Amino acid sequence: MNRWLPFWIADPVGAERKLDRLASDGYRLTKMNFCGFCTFDKGESRTVRHRIVLERGGLPHGAAERGWEPLYNGRLFYVTAHEDEKETISYGAHKKLHSIAKTLIFFVICFFFGILLGGTLAALDDEFYGSPDSHKALAGFAVSLGVFIHFHIGTKRMPSDGLGLGGKMKTVPAENFIYDKKTEKRLIREGQVKRVLKPGWFYAPDKGEEYVRDMAAQGWIFYRFDEMGVTFYFRKGEPRKLKFVVDYQNHADEGYFNTAKEYGWKLEFTSMTRTMGFTMWSKYWDDEEEEPEFYSDAESEYKRARRFAIVFGLLLAYIIFVGVWFITGVIKALIVGEATLGTAIWVLAVYSMLIAEGVLFSSKTIGYYLRVRKKTGK
């Protein structure tokens, strides 16, 4: 029997559960390609838990000794099954791939959104909607958004990594929500809790680190972020020495989090994506101790800052490019009489703000990199 598991890479858990159901109906997997086309042999009904593992070389010897049964071995992945539901194999490779895919798809979404935003302004002259370009942009935006959502749902269905994250977006440790919303609002009114919005602060993370440290020295102790990581919450207390660190990671896996916690660091925030994302940590210290350092060597800190500057520098350069592209286009259209003055003003206003934002944030990113390079002597 043949079956198709379309786009299984976006939802491996869903595909594995389908294989479980087929096994209970007496179908044993014998072959599966990367496109999801599967071949089964008819046999006895079995209750097993399948795993599709993104790893070359097939089932490891150690997993086979634990009772995992090899079903299919491909060039980029293998499929295995086990009768005991308590036996597990990490989804780390899937999570890493999902993080990379969602990051790339996000850039695609931004591209089509930019076209649609410009088209919305052009629609004031009835020049965009209804045209082939509008249909392509809308279709591209809808498809890329749908693919992103599919990957996001697939990521959420994978077993958690035990970080105990809270909030709808799972970016802040649940333990950091020490007050309910009603109590927190009351404490803000009474001056016992301070809420500070600092959009774009992470483009210069060293300044954010200094800000949290200085607030703690004044008796305002940081205790959580909002789910987007742009609003700081402080509670009034005794002045303390608090080290706050923003780390930018290509990929943050379970080993990364466990190692940091073993050295006494407390997780404060992690990006929705574990690839090319932020993690933020804190640690108290006193006069009898040396100031803690998240990275013990200057080379690691420098590489982190350089990686951060390259990735976000390219992103901000892309935003500036899109803004200049639309402004240039509307000016040309205005000159030849294909756009009205009203449309031109709207486009100039919106995309000038985007360019200004890109320039502001890119200058912060470059400044951060230069400060770290000077600090580390590179």
Side-chain angles (χ1 to χ4, degrees):
M1 183 189 74
N2 297 321
R3 283 290 180 89
W4 184 37
L5 302 178
F7 215 38
W8 64 269
I9 196 70
D11 185 13
V13 174
E16 291 162 1
R17 298 297 79 82
K18 290 179 182 178
L19 294 177
D20 294 348
R21 290 192 292 270
L22 287 168
S24 67
D25 292 335
Y27 293 99
R28 183 180 186 277
L29 179 73
T30 58
K31 187 176 181 181
M32 176 178 176
N33 64 22
F34 204 79
C35 295
F37 291 100
C38 305
T39 302
F40 299 84
D41 285 342
K42 180 63 175 175
E44 296 181 355
S45 174
R46 302 192 309 158
T47 301
V48 294
R49 176 62 59 87
H50 287 78
R51 280 287 287 110
I52 306 172
V53 184
L54 288 175
E55 186 176 298
R56 293 174 179 267
L59 185 69
H61 181 69
E65 288 185 338
R66 300 202 319 270
W68 284 95
E69 174 191 359
L71 297 178
Y72 172 72
N73 180 25
R75 293 182 61 185
L76 300 176
F77 69 96
Y78 64 88
V79 185
T80 182
H82 203 293
E83 295 181 354
D84 188 354
E85 291 189 0
K86 295 181 180 179
E87 283 289 338
T88 61
I89 295 179
S90 172
Y91 282 86
H94 279 292
K95 291 180 179 179
K96 183 175 182 178
L97 177 64
H98 276 218
S99 292
I100 295 172
K102 286 190 290 185
T103 301
L104 295 176
I105 296 167
F106 176 75
F107 289 133
V108 176
I109 292 173
C110 290
F111 174 75
F112 285 116
F113 179 76
I115 294 176
L116 289 173
L117 180 59
T120 301
L121 301 176
L124 297 173
D125 291 332
D126 297 324
E127 294 175 351
F128 183 75
Y129 286 108
S131 70
D133 287 340
S134 72
H135 297 154
K136 292 178 182 178
L138 188 58
F141 178 79
V143 170
S144 56
L145 181 61
V147 172
F148 182 90
I149 293 173
H150 192 27
F151 268 98
H152 186 67
I153 293 174
T155 303
K156 293 299 180 183
R157 295 184 67 176
M158 297 181 205
S160 65
D161 49 17
L163 293 179
L165 299 175
K168 295 180 181 179
M169 302 179 73
K170 302 300 181 183
T171 54
V172 179
E175 63 186 32
N176 290 18
F177 295 96
I178 58 179
Y179 306 114
D180 58 52
K181 291 184 178 180
K182 184 177 180 181
T183 301
E184 195 168 59
K185 288 180 179 179
R186 176 178 59 81
L187 292 173
I188 291 174
R189 291 194 302 269
E190 294 174 355
Q192 297 300 309
V193 166
K194 184 177 293 188
R195 179 176 56 193
V196 182
L197 174 65
K198 297 179 78 68
W201 71 269
F202 38 79
Y203 289 109
D206 56 334
K207 296 295 184 181
E209 294 170 359
E210 292 177 5
Y211 174 67
V212 173
R213 181 197 64 195
D214 293 344
M215 289 291 285
Q218 298 170 28
W220 287 102
I221 311 302
F222 172 81
Y223 69 92
R224 80 170 177 94
F225 278 108
D226 69 333
E227 293 182 346
M228 294 299 293
V230 296
T231 301
F232 295 75
Y233 285 79
F234 302 90
R235 54 189 173 87
K236 199 169 185 179
E238 294 296 324
R240 298 196 65 178
K241 289 186 174 182
L242 177 62
K243 182 76 171 185
F244 178 72
V245 174
V246 180
D247 193 25
Y248 180 73
Q249 280 290 318
N250 278 345
H251 179 69
D253 57 14
E254 295 180 34
Y256 164 81
F257 289 103
N258 291 335
T259 299
K261 289 183 176 182
E262 287 173 2
Y263 280 91
W265 292 93
K266 178 180 178 295
L267 180 65
E268 300 290 1
F269 180 90
T270 181
S271 301
M272 289 184 290
T273 171
R274 298 294 170 79
T275 298
M276 293 188 287
F278 293 100
T279 59
M280 301 171 192
W281 304 85
S282 70
K283 187 176 184 179
Y284 291 108
W285 59 293
D286 54 39
D287 294 331
E288 287 72 33
E289 300 174 318
E290 292 186 3
E291 182 176 352
E293 295 293 340
F294 196 78
Y295 285 103
S296 58
D297 61 302
E299 182 66 25
S300 295
E301 185 175 3
Y302 173 74
K303 287 181 177 179
R304 175 191 63 169
R306 184 177 60 184
R307 183 170 62 243
F308 172 86
I310 291 173
V311 172
F312 281 91
L314 290 174
L315 172 61
L316 294 168
Y318 169 76
I319 293 174
I320 294 172
F321 169 76
V322 170
V324 172
W325 181 43
F326 273 101
I327 288 176
T328 303
V330 79
I331 290 176
K332 289 180 179 179
L334 182 63
I335 292 174
V336 298
E338 294 180 354
T340 65
L341 181 60
T343 299
I345 292 175
W346 272 103
V347 172
L348 288 171
V350 171
Y351 284 97
S352 292
M353 286 190 291
L354 284 177
I355 292 173
E357 183 180 89
V359 171
L360 174 63
F361 290 156
S362 61
S363 65
K364 288 186 175 184
T365 302
I366 294 171
Y368 165 64
Y369 168 70
L370 294 176
R371 287 191 296 273
V372 172
R373 189 173 71 170
K374 181 179 180 180
K375 172 186 172 183
T376 57
K378 297 295 181 179

